[in-house]
Amino acid sequence: MTKKEYQIQQIRVMKFYCRLPEYFLEDARIFEGEIAVSTEPIAYEQRQSLKYEAISEGMPWGKLWDSAWIHLAGEFPKSWKDREVLFQLNVGGEGLLFDAQGVPFYSITNTSSLVRHYRKEYVQFGSCTTPGKFELWLEAAANGLFGREEDPDYPDQHGDFGSIRKLRYGLFRCEVWALALDLEVLMSLLHFPHTAGDFGFPKTPAFPEGSAREKQLMRILSRAVDCFAGNPENATAARAILAEALQTPALASARTVTAVGHAHIDTGWLWPVRESVRKAARTFASQLTLMERYPDYVFGASQPQHYLFVKENYPALYEKIKQRVAEGRWELQGGMWVECDCNLASGEAIIRQFLHGKNFFRDEFGIEVKNLWLPDVFGYSAALPQIIRKCGCDRFLTQKLSWNQSNKFPHHCFRWIGIDGTSILSFFPPEDNYNATLVPEMLNYGVNNFSENDTIPEIISLFGIGDGGGGPKEEYLERGIRCANLEGCPKVRFGRADEFLERLGKYENELPAWHGELYLELHRGTLTTQAEVKRNNRRCEEMLIAVEKLYAGRDLKEYPTRELDRLWKLLLLNQFHDILPGSSIALVYERTRKEHQDILESCNKLIAALANDTECVTFVNTLGIPYHGLVALPESWKGTEELASQQTADGKYYVSLTLAPHQNRVLNRKDNRKAISQTPVPVLENKLVRAEFSNTGELVSLIEKSSNREMLSAPANIFKLYHDRPNANDAWDIDAFYMNEELTEACCCTQITPVTTGALWAELSFEFAVGSSTVQQTVQLMHDTKRLEFHTSVMWNEKHKLLRVEFPTSIHNGKANFDIQYGFLERPIHRNTSWDEAKFEVCMHQYCDLADTAGGLALLNDCKYGVSVHENIIGMSLLRAPTYPDATADRGKHEFTYALMPHTGDFREAGVREAAASLNRPPLMIAGDLSAWKLPMEVKNITGSVVVETVKRAEKEDALVLRCVERHGCIGRCRIHVAIPWRTITEYDLLEWNPVGECAESGAEFSFKPFEIKTFLIKK
């Protein structure tokens, strides 16, 4: 066979394969149907209350996000008895079929956001045991091609949705369908241009081009086409010809692939969260049906929130899931409540993801999940390994770093080591995909791409299409069966991910190590996009922890367990990895804003419930460190009997308070305002620092007085506006070339006010024009702190712009420190290697610090995450303005505060973290006298910096939980005292499940390794 002849036969076979679906239906008939459309989903039980009209193929029925109930009716002829029946249904979106008892059993779709051109429209009904009339109910959803709203810059991408395409049923020509699958597998072995669809995976042929085996297989394929001869009755004979190739066994040395059914479902992304409820039901129903047909098949799903969605909305379906879990056929994956963002969520929030996630799985199913399952998260904090381990997990799976723009991550199976030294066995599926299809090309790519394939003889394949795809469909399972022992590809076996991950343990000592964060060289814009959501998320994190501590100092009978549980779960849901990062549609953020507001208002109600007295207020410091700073007074107050107060431009009054850790202070009302003065000189100065500004609003000098050191090398607090058009992924990405597209004339100072000096602080204000937007900024310096605060309000009217602020420093060092969850991370700030160069935008939480041996400059913030430190310049991203997937992302008013804090010596000893914490969590203000409030424990440092992070009621018993962390990266030692009636102190894991230390009494000492997190249960 010449090369030309081979190509001719290849085209012939491919076209034949594409024609075969025309033969799947025999004696095809059209359903009779009627439809009722609604703007919101209607429960199955209420479907009869709707108004119905007749439908037919080709009829449009709904606009984007509409829902519908479709009633279908047909008749099975007597001649169909005991023959297989097939439905062909396409409603221009997603759909879910219900049986006669109202239980969903199978889903259809013409769309998935993960795979373009995906279709799932054939439903194998089974054998016709009872001829006669029948009816079906189908719930439909008019979701667009990518399930989302249109990008205004790239219109007409919806595809065909909300339109009836197919309403057919007929006899199922099983042999023709099976013939198509036989062909598909063999075509994939030969690297045909089109096999299982345009899924975009790297194709790896099984045999060398022009080899004898390649030509031999092509001849077999051609013979099968000859045999079929356009007659579906010849399908069995054609299959017999292909069997010669399909029965040739794999090589003895072939690697093994553990194939796990999977369906990645984003809790909210290009559709509202309410649609994820139905996506979960559609997916889960289909997989339960497949389990009935394929006894070896195993499906797995993560995210307890999705299981709760199904439990609350589809209880009968949920009971079927529980049965399959008990049988071991359905695998519970991942310990988190949702697959949450791991850059932006706080350390305590990540612990709560595990706490609520693992408790749900244990309470509902009696199973402890031992792995963290995060295939699609945008980077992984170096604090995570310790949290994973202490939450009872020892395995971690992701694949997202295969998306790196610049550098190929060197490992697929490795030991990931965090900032405290904890090691977690980690695995990246080497197919670089969590939508695998079980075709030989993709399987071969996986085993050949596997970095550790010289050591480990197997890989895992996560097969099935998520996000509307419904997970695996029959074809995927059939491919896996054909590839179980097939020449030219690895050996496929269906199995569980947890068992695969456990088997990797035998190789752990031979595996390479990766220290520090798993930085994704992509999606850097998610550190900044949807700034309001990020700000409210941090406020909610801080407020929930503060309220828990407040109630932990009361009688536990008053503890609002149920309400706090509800509020935490709202927050955790909205930390999903497409919600908090800012990569979802506007409908998602409408809900997120409401739920963040619910959390904040509910927390304020819980605080207000403790007292009611307008003659005094109590301020409670809920930080585990001293608080020094300003606190706002009630609106009706003018001052206090003890402390001077000062009024801001918007009429609010503040006092300066210093409170020890977890201390309270009662203030009585009295007008005691101090006079203020004004001076035109743009200098803010106290005994510690001197800050000089130009008449154009630039910070031109910042002197740390004890060392007489100038901290700046050039004017600072410089706003810079950039054209922001990433190559792809608008809301997700900031590409490095943005730095070349600065709009140099876009920022100018339009107004400056004189310095105002009052009882507590001095301040001056500026107004800037930034593009089409305005920035109002009040710079404050308290009389007894080094913290220079920039209180900022922006009316943001941009589109595809990035606003940053920069601070050129006089400090030269090759590294800087960045606040992360429960610690800090040292990163290089040069561009020596491609790995360093790729980190042009990184994540911080409340501060970053650039210093040398003499001292440094810290940048603090109350809601920003995207930062760069390059050589001597600190820059922070403030706002973006993408148009996809939310056309109005970030437009409108924003408020935030950042601060500069010069210091001498090491930033840890200078109190940088403490200053940042004070900026983020001021004391709680309670109307009334709570002078008796006191936590029933006290933690005293002996060495190091052990900080009380969390005090709350235990999840399962009347005990207190005390969570402490060593924050300085040093060996720490502390003494814990408890007050009667509390008596014993026992260290537990982070889940509060298992003791990991001996029971001790009040006054016991405890040691901490650097950055170690310890959780104690205190009991009576």
Side-chain angles (χ1 to χ4, degrees), residues 817-821 823-825 843-848 967:
N817 291 296
F818 302 80
D819 181 39
I820 64 172
Q821 299 93 337
F824 61 86
L825 182 65
C843 182
M844 68 171 172
H845 276 233
Q846 297 183 3
Y847 69 86
C848 68
R967 280 283 201 165

Side-chain angles (χ1 to χ4, degrees), residues 52-84:
Y52 288 81
E53 62 176 328
I55 56 170
S56 59
E57 289 187 348
M59 168 184 166
W61 64 266
K63 61 183 183 300
L64 185 65
W65 306 127
D66 278 351
S67 293
W69 277 103
I70 300 175
H71 184 208
L72 299 174
E75 184 172 3
F76 296 146
K78 292 181 180 180
S79 60
W80 288 16
K81 182 172 173 55
D82 298 328
R83 296 188 65 183
E84 296 295 311

Side-chain angles (χ1 to χ4, degrees), residues 42-58:
I42 302 297
Y44 177 86
E45 291 75 17
Q46 279 76 53
R47 73 195 188 285
Q48 300 281 22
S49 64
L50 301 173
K51 183 178 180 180
Y52 288 81
E53 62 176 328
I55 56 170
S56 59
E57 289 187 348

Side-chain angles (χ1 to χ4, degrees), residues 909-920:
E909 302 303 326
V912 166
R913 190 192 70 80
E914 290 79 2
S918 294
L919 184 69
N920 279 271

Side-chain angles (χ1 to χ4, degrees), residues 938-942 962 973-978 983-987 998-1008 1016:
E938 184 179 16
V939 178
K940 294 185 176 181
N941 273 296
I942 301 172
L962 170 67
R973 193 165 180 83
C974 72
R975 183 176 291 114
I976 301 177
H977 298 270
V978 296
R983 298 183 180 276
T984 64
I985 309 163
T986 308
E987 184 184 353
E998 298 295 324
C999 180
E1001 296 183 351
S1002 182
E1005 292 186 6
F1006 297 90
S1007 296
F1008 287 71
F1016 302 95

